């Protein structure tokens, strides 16, 4: 297990880390220049060659990669090695446009699983644990990513994949699962089901590893108290391996970036200008070691803050805050900027489970906003007049938070669509 808590690396002095990152960046840029004509062309257009990249300080000379580049180069224009050397692909669950396909060599899988194993160790999980993985298996990286990391650590893994709540609860009870890995919205859903069936006394969970979608501190508090566990955040994206790019230690205050494999920057999403640590901006990540799909300066679209403040856990890896939304998920409704996270905050404060869906439409040239909110089993049994009163109360709270009117519909428990276990938060019919 010590193998997956490398004090020499995770707690290394910053200068030592930067020296390692410099060395790795120089070699990664050479690899990409030699093997990825698509990016070489971008470098040529920007007037930069491998000779210009001598240390990590030179990274800002490199051009960005955006999601559009990944779509334009579909299916293999950014692959860094011959197909023969790849052992797996994963793909994004994007519902618009072409999917993005990411390639992995054997070594890439190994380093990905090592990053995930580190995340588990940081959450105080060990080979004594029984890890129930309810992230989707398949093209989505959640299932196989958590699976690989937990197995590497020597845990007993239950490869459940998403859905089938009856079966999840049966195994959770019978096999005494101690760790739950899934999206926070599915954790909230399982927790409701456990309470409905009065199973709490027969459940042995002590930790949760939750990520893949936005969730708030309020949601964490609610899941931790209802399941009696410590809930740890984990961050990642398909384009950069999957889960494990960043992970939360026992301090539970921001996620350490696995900086020996991923270099993080924050930029102004409008101008592309690099911002200093501590500023809020779009997270840009460079994979320093992956060879199959080696992305340089990839714009994640996730908005966050990076901090190099010393962490009480001793790790020196930079921490990222929870993503505070995406540079592309801000909705402009009736001219007002609306973030889904604002709506989530109101719902949790009012005691609703954070399962909601925002539907934006345009009727007679005017924007409309509808918010579907899943009721708890308890609310569900209320009389119609009580439900109407609750809807009215939510409309008022949302108006106070957002400054615009939203129609609120309380819907029956567990009816809101989920994709790969991730709640489908926004349907913007104006774009369809
Ligand atoms: O969601 C990988 C993953 C699986 C991460 C399991 C954590 C756990 P994608 O489907 O490519 O990959 O989606 C990546 O999900 O850009 C963020 O917007 C969002 N996201 C991922 N983790 C978090 C998190 C996986 N902890 C996109 N908090 C990212 C908030 C997250 N958003």
């Amino acid at each position: 297990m010590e193998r997956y808590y490398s004090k020499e690396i995770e707690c290394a002095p910053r200068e030592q880390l930067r020296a390692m990152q410099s060395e790795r960046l120089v070699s990664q840029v050479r690899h990409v220049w030699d093997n990825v004509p698509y990016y070489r062309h971008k470098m040529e257009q920007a007037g930069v060659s491998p000779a210009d990249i001598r240390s990590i300080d030179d990274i800002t000379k490199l051009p960005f990669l955006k999601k559009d580049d990944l779509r334009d180069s579909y299916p293999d224009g950014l692959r860094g090695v011959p197909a023969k050397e790849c052992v797996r692909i994963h793909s994004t669950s994007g519902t618009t446009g072409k999917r993005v396909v990411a390639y992995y060599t054997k070594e890439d899988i190994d380093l990905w699983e090592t990053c995930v194993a580190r995340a588990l160790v940081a959450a105080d999980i060990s080979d004594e644990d029984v890890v129930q993985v309810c992230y989707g298996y398949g093209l989505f990286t959640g299932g196989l990513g958590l699976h690989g990391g937990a197995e590497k650590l020597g845990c007993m893994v239950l490869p459940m994949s998403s859905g089938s709540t009856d079966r999840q609860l049966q195994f959770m009870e019978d096999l005494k699962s101690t760790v739950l890995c899934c999206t926070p919205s599915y954790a909230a859903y399982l927790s409701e089901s456990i309470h409905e069936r009065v199973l709490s006394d027969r459940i042995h969970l002590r930790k949760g590893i939750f990520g893949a979608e936005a969730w708030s501190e309020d949601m964490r508090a609610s899941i931790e108290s209802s399941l009696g566990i410590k809930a740890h955040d984990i961050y990642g994206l398909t384009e950069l391996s999957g889960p494990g790019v960043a992970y939360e230690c026992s301090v539970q205050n921001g996620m350490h970036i696995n900086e020996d494999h991923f270099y993080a920057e924050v930029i102004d999403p409008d101008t592309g200008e690099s911002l200093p640590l501590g500023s809020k901006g779009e997270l840009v990540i460079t994979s320093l070691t992956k060879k199959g799909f080696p992305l340089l300066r990839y714009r994640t679209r996730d908005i966050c803050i990076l901090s190099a403040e010393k962490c009480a856990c001793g790790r020196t890896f930079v921490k990222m805050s929870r993503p505070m939304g995406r540079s592309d998920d801000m909705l402009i409704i009736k001219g007002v900027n609306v973030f889904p996270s604002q709506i989530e905050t109101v719902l949790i404060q009012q005691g609703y489970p954070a399962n909601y869906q925002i539907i934006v439409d345009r009727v007679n040239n005017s924007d409309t906003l509808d918010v579907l909110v899943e009721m708890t089993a308890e609310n569900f049994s209320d009389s119609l007049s009580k439900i109407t009163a609750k809807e009215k109360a939510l409309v008022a709270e949302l108006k106070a938070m957002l400054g615009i009117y939203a129609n609120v519909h309380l819907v029956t428990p567990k009816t809101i669509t989920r994709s790969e276990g991730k709640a489908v938060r926004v349907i913007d019919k104006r774009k369809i």
Side-chain angles (χ1 to χ4, degrees):
M1 236 145 43
E2 291 70 43
R3 278 201 298 149
Y4 302 110
Y5 170 55
S6 169
K7 202 167 177 197
E8 300 79 73
I9 295 178
E10 290 179 76
C11 305
R14 297 287 314 157
E15 319 76 68
Q16 197 179 312
L17 263 175
R18 278 190 85 77
M20 177 197 267
Q21 289 174 325
S22 291
E23 200 181 298
R24 291 184 170 183
L25 179 69
V26 168
S27 121
Q28 185 73 316
V29 168
R30 171 54 69 188
H31 169 66
V32 170
W33 176 269
D34 289 344
N35 297 287
V36 185
Y38 185 95
Y39 195 79
R40 178 182 181 138
H41 181 60
K42 275 185 101 77
M43 283 177 68
E44 282 166 347
Q45 276 180 328
V48 52
S49 77
D52 299 310
I53 310 298
R54 285 184 297 260
S55 86
I56 200 77
D57 296 328
D58 296 320
I59 197 163
T60 52
K61 295 178 184 163
L62 292 168
F64 294 118
L65 271 174
K66 291 188 181 172
K67 187 101 169 178
D68 284 346
D69 290 304
L70 272 60
R71 294 207 179 104
D72 292 349
S73 56
Y74 176 88
D76 55 9
L78 287 168
R79 199 176 61 217
V81 298
K84 167 101 189 50
E85 288 175 32
C86 296
V87 295
R88 199 192 297 167
I89 64 135
H90 281 282
S91 171
T92 55
S93 56
T95 45
T96 52
K98 282 180 191 150
R99 280 181 169 255
V100 168
V101 176
Y103 297 82
Y104 302 70
T105 62
K106 226 181 173 94
E107 292 72 31
D108 294 339
I109 298 276
D110 187 60
L111 74 85
W112 175 25
E113 291 178 349
T114 298
C115 287
V116 175
R118 265 187 201 167
L120 299 177
V121 171
D124 191 28
I125 292 165
S126 74
D127 56 3
E128 303 282 331
D129 281 292
V130 177
V131 178
Q132 182 156 347
V133 181
C134 325
Y135 287 110
Y137 280 63
L139 289 172
F140 178 53
T141 53
L144 284 163
L146 266 300
H147 182 117
E151 205 170 85
K152 229 181 180 59
L153 197 57
C155 307
M156 181 162 89
V157 184
L158 277 49
M160 305 298 295
S161 200
S162 50
S164 309
T165 304
D166 286 340
R167 198 175 52 193
Q168 300 281 3
L169 297 181
Q170 182 82 58
F171 275 88
M172 193 181 282
E173 182 184 341
D174 295 346
L175 295 167
K176 303 187 174 49
S177 306
T178 53
V179 179
L180 176 65
C181 302
C182 62
T183 55
S185 57
Y186 193 55
Y189 177 92
L190 282 175
S191 147
E192 273 170 58
S193 307
I194 288 170
H195 287 282
E196 269 161 39
R197 298 170 201 204
V198 204
L199 288 176
S200 302
D201 288 348
R202 293 192 246 156
I203 297 298
H204 298 78
L205 292 177
R206 60 179 202 95
K207 295 278 175 182
I209 301 289
F210 305 137
E213 65 185 9
W215 57 311
S216 57
E217 263 325 302
D218 289 328
M219 189 160 176
R220 183 197 326 248
S222 144
I223 296 174
E224 286 192 335
S225 74
S226 64
L227 283 175
I229 61 171
K230 280 264 168 248
H232 292 260
D233 207 349
I234 187 164
Y235 172 84
L237 49 167
T238 316
E239 298 90 313
L240 295 157
S241 292
V245 170
Y247 58 93
E248 212 172 38
C249 61
S250 53
V251 175
Q252 288 181 294
N253 178 22
M255 293 177 272
H256 289 284
I257 295 189
N258 265 310
E259 280 197 280
D260 48 342
H261 298 293
F262 300 102
Y263 182 77
E265 304 168 75
V266 158
I267 61 160
D268 178 324
D270 298 323
T271 61
E273 181 203 342
S274 293
L275 299 176
L277 286 173
S279 319
K280 183 170 165 183
E282 180 179 340
L283 180 67
V284 173
I285 302 245
T286 294
S287 61
L288 296 170
T289 46
K290 252 151 40 77
K291 295 291 182 246
F293 202 60
L295 300 191
L296 300 179
R297 299 197 90 202
Y298 181 59
R299 291 185 60 162
T300 63
R301 288 153 301 141
D302 291 317
I303 303 293
C304 74
I305 297 174
L306 294 178
S307 153
E309 267 173 41
K310 200 157 172 42
C311 183
C313 75
R315 289 178 179 80
T316 49
F317 281 173
V318 156
K319 285 207 279 196
M320 64 179 274
S321 65
R322 312 172 159 279
M324 302 157 166
R326 287 162 68 92
S327 54
D328 59 358
D329 80 353
M330 186 183 77
L331 294 159
I332 302 183
I333 306 173
K334 295 182 181 165
V336 175
N337 298 347
V338 173
F339 285 94
S341 55
Q342 294 174 295
I343 295 178
E344 179 177 317
T345 301
V346 170
L347 298 182
I348 296 211
Q349 281 168 359
Q350 298 300 308
Y352 290 89
N355 286 329
Y356 60 91
Q357 191 165 64
I358 300 164
I359 301 176
V360 190
D361 206 349
R362 185 159 289 144
V363 180
N364 298 330
N365 292 323
S366 177
D367 292 339
T368 58
L369 168 62
D370 286 76
V371 182
L372 273 50
V373 183
E374 276 187 1
M375 284 188 282
T376 56
E378 188 186 292
N379 282 325
F380 185 47
S381 57
D382 285 345
S383 65
L384 195 60
S385 62
K386 214 166 166 193
I387 290 178
T388 313
K390 285 186 168 174
E391 284 177 343
K392 272 195 182 151
L394 267 181
V395 168
E397 292 294 334
L398 286 171
K399 177 92 194 335
M401 168 67 95
L402 308 173
I404 53 167
Y405 177 79
N407 294 302
V408 172
H409 314 269
L410 291 178
V411 299
T412 44
K414 302 169 187 168
T415 43
I416 290 180
T417 332
R418 287 166 173 79
S419 153
E420 310 277 25
K422 299 193 194 202
V424 179
R425 297 281 190 227
V426 181
I427 298 180
D428 192 344
K429 295 187 173 167
R430 297 172 302 181
K431 289 183 193 150
I432 297 171

